[in-house]
Amino acid sequence: MININIKILLCVYFLSASFCYSQKQNTIDEAIKQAIENNQQIQSAKYNVEKENALKLKAVNIPKPELFIEFEGIKGGINNFESRKIGILQAFEFPSSYFLRSDVQNSQVLVSKAELSKIVNDLKFNVKQNYYSLKLQINLLEAAKENLKVYEDLLFVAERKYMVGSTSNLEVLGAKVNKIKFENEIKNIESQIRIYQSELKKLMNVDYIILPDNSFKYVEIISAKENLLALALRNNPELSIKRFQKEKFSNKISLSKSELLPDLSFRYYKQKIGSDGDYWGFEIGIGIPFWFWWEQSGSIKEANFEYKIASSDESTIRKNIESQLNQAYEEYQNSIRQLDFFTGEALTEGNEILRQAKISYEEGSIDYVEYLMALTIAYDIKIQYLNSIYNNNKSIIELENITAGEIR
């Protein structure tokens, strides 16, 4: 595993020492926590959940009661009447409609919660991707600087050999070109580091430069692919959104059918007939939907089509999840195979090749071309090893995004 003092390393290559004071080291968990706390889209999604919860109160939308006064048999003035009624009228939907409308809104609350989970999950994915990309670039920078030092030493030895006439100027020029090449490589890597730090700063919504922790290691997971797939199908937010939408539209179909049932009304009143006011009465009404084939029939068809669309989308997302998980898991296994190769023999042999080639070149046992070939092999092994660690973490990040959970 490769460990480096990142603070010292970054402070050296940035423009000024004062820049280091605006930096802060964060672990991946701290970076994710900061990003979630500061993200305005997440805050808006939380408000949306609260709004949908509040809308559950509208499920029981009983019409306002009506107060009425009714005169009959008026002769001359309003005070001269045969009968007067004072009462209250209350209309109701069929009772099942209230329960079904509440079920529709409860499903919408679950949809809004799943949408919030998706925003959080996507944000975690973006933070993790940029965080580990930053780690890779920092380790590539360290490797490039180490290689630059080797080429500086090579140039020094080549110049000495040229001065004593044991080599040609071509060898010196070649060493200079390779030194310049790695100086330019370092500048490119430093630029990439600033890009990832800028993106992390935006994702976390902070005013300081992000420094990752010092570790850069690979991870092996113990969960089988089948278990990860089951976890993904259960927890993936995008799939959950479609599942709850399907549930909502199913409830909406039932609600639309319930609205075909008759409405009810109740009327209670006190009645005065002539001079005797000790009468009361009530009326019960039933609203029969003679025209149900219009609005209600249209609502049923609309809800049926919405349900079919949601079911089709759910099936498509399921297939995409399975495909993405298979691909990410294959990438993970490939990274482990590569890492087994590098940690088994390749890294040790690469370091030994570099050590022996340096000694042999200084002693004159090998020429410049052979030494350059040895340098290239050793450097390529180190870079491939670092990229394999990154690919390992990247595949796990993708699996965690698909399953919406931690699997490390």
Side-chain angles (χ1 to χ4, degrees), residues 27-194:
T27 65
I28 183 63
D29 291 334
E30 290 170 343
I32 291 172
K33 180 181 178 182
Q34 192 78 55
I36 292 174
E37 288 176 353
N38 295 342
N39 187 273
Q40 293 302 311
Q41 192 178 6
I42 289 176
Q43 189 60 47
S44 297
K46 288 180 179 178
Y47 288 143
N48 186 56
V49 173
E50 294 176 7
K51 182 200 76 174
E52 297 296 347
N53 269 310
L55 287 175
K56 290 197 300 186
L57 299 174
K58 295 177 64 177
V60 187
N61 57 340
I62 300 175
K64 297 177 182 178
E66 297 180 16
L67 296 174
F68 67 89
I69 182 167
E70 183 180 310
F71 295 89
E72 293 180 354
I74 297 174
K75 294 180 181 179
I78 196 171
N79 291 325
N80 187 12
F81 55 84
E82 291 182 359
S83 172
R84 183 190 69 193
K85 294 179 181 178
I86 300 175
I88 184 170
L89 172 65
Q90 180 64 65
F92 301 90
E93 291 183 274
F94 199 83
S96 61
S97 295
Y98 296 112
F99 296 106
L100 291 169
R101 189 172 289 111
S102 178
D103 289 343
V104 170
Q105 188 55 36
N106 282 332
S107 297
Q108 181 58 38
V109 171
L110 295 176
V111 170
S112 65
K113 288 181 178 179
E115 289 171 343
L116 170 59
S117 297
K118 184 178 185 303
I119 294 172
V120 172
N121 196 52
D122 289 346
L123 179 62
K124 286 182 178 180
F125 176 70
N126 289 330
V127 170
K128 288 176 183 177
Q129 268 200 326
N130 283 275
Y131 190 90
Y132 281 97
S133 294
L134 176 58
K135 278 190 171 188
L136 172 64
Q137 295 302 319
I138 288 173
N139 282 272
L140 290 177
L141 177 63
E142 182 190 28
K145 287 188 172 184
E146 289 176 355
N147 214 46
L148 175 61
K149 180 64 172 61
V150 172
Y151 277 102
E152 287 175 340
D153 293 343
L154 172 61
L155 176 60
F156 177 75
V157 173
E159 288 175 335
R160 285 178 56 193
K161 286 185 174 182
Y162 176 71
M163 289 176 62
V164 298
S166 60
T167 189
S168 67
N169 188 44
L170 183 62
E171 189 170 318
V172 176
L173 291 175
K176 285 182 179 179
V177 168
N178 279 292
K179 175 176 172 291
I180 294 170
K181 170 187 170 184
F182 275 93
E183 287 174 341
N184 186 60
E185 179 71 13
I186 287 172
K187 289 182 173 64
N188 290 336
I189 295 173
E190 289 173 343
S191 177
Q192 286 297 312
I193 288 174
R194 289 191 289 271

Side-chain angles (χ1 to χ4, degrees), residues 5 32-33 50 84 96 103 121 174 208 218 232 248 260 288 339 347 350 378 391-392:
N5 191 325
I32 291 172
K33 180 181 178 182
E50 294 176 7
R84 183 190 69 193
S96 61
D103 289 343
N121 196 52
Y208 55 83
Y218 65 91
K248 171 187 170 182
L260 294 173
I288 301 174
L339 287 163
L347 278 176
N391 290 333
N392 168 264

Side-chain angles (χ1 to χ4, degrees), residues 146-285:
E146 289 176 355
N147 214 46
L148 175 61
K149 180 64 172 61
V150 172
Y151 277 102
E152 287 175 340
D153 293 343
L154 172 61
L155 176 60
F156 177 75
V157 173
E159 288 175 335
R160 285 178 56 193
K161 286 185 174 182
Y162 176 71
M163 289 176 62
V164 298
S166 60
T167 189
S168 67
N169 188 44
L170 183 62
E171 189 170 318
V172 176
L173 291 175
K176 285 182 179 179
V177 168
N178 279 292
K179 175 176 172 291
I180 294 170
K181 170 187 170 184
F182 275 93
E183 287 174 341
N184 186 60
E185 179 71 13
I186 287 172
K187 289 182 173 64
N188 290 336
I189 295 173
E190 289 173 343
S191 177
Q192 286 297 312
I193 288 174
R194 289 191 289 271
I195 289 172
Y196 288 121
Q197 286 182 321
S198 176
E199 185 64 21
L200 277 172
K201 182 179 176 182
K202 182 185 75 173
L203 290 170
M204 295 169 63
N205 195 19
V206 294
D207 57 1
Y208 55 83
I209 299 300
I210 312 303
L211 301 177
D213 58 40
N214 296 339
S215 65
F216 191 59
K217 57 186 179 181
Y218 65 91
V219 180
E220 294 190 61
I221 58 178
I222 58 175
S223 297
K225 183 172 68 173
E226 293 75 17
N227 295 334
L228 293 174
L229 179 59
L231 191 65
L233 296 178
R234 184 170 64 250
N235 294 341
N236 185 274
E238 189 176 3
L239 186 59
S240 295
I241 290 171
K242 289 302 173 184
R243 187 183 300 125
F244 292 135
Q245 283 180 341
K246 193 171 75 167
E247 177 186 293
K248 171 187 170 182
F249 296 136
S250 176
N251 290 330
K252 193 174 176 181
I253 292 171
S254 299
L255 173 61
S256 298
K257 291 178 179 179
S258 177
E259 289 174 344
L260 294 173
L261 298 173
D263 293 338
L264 305 174
S265 64
F266 177 78
R267 191 182 190 204
Y268 172 83
Y269 55 87
K270 291 274 291 183
Q271 185 174 15
K272 183 178 182 181
I273 301 176
S275 60
D276 190 353
D278 195 23
Y279 293 95
W280 63 274
F282 68 91
E283 299 174 5
I284 296 176

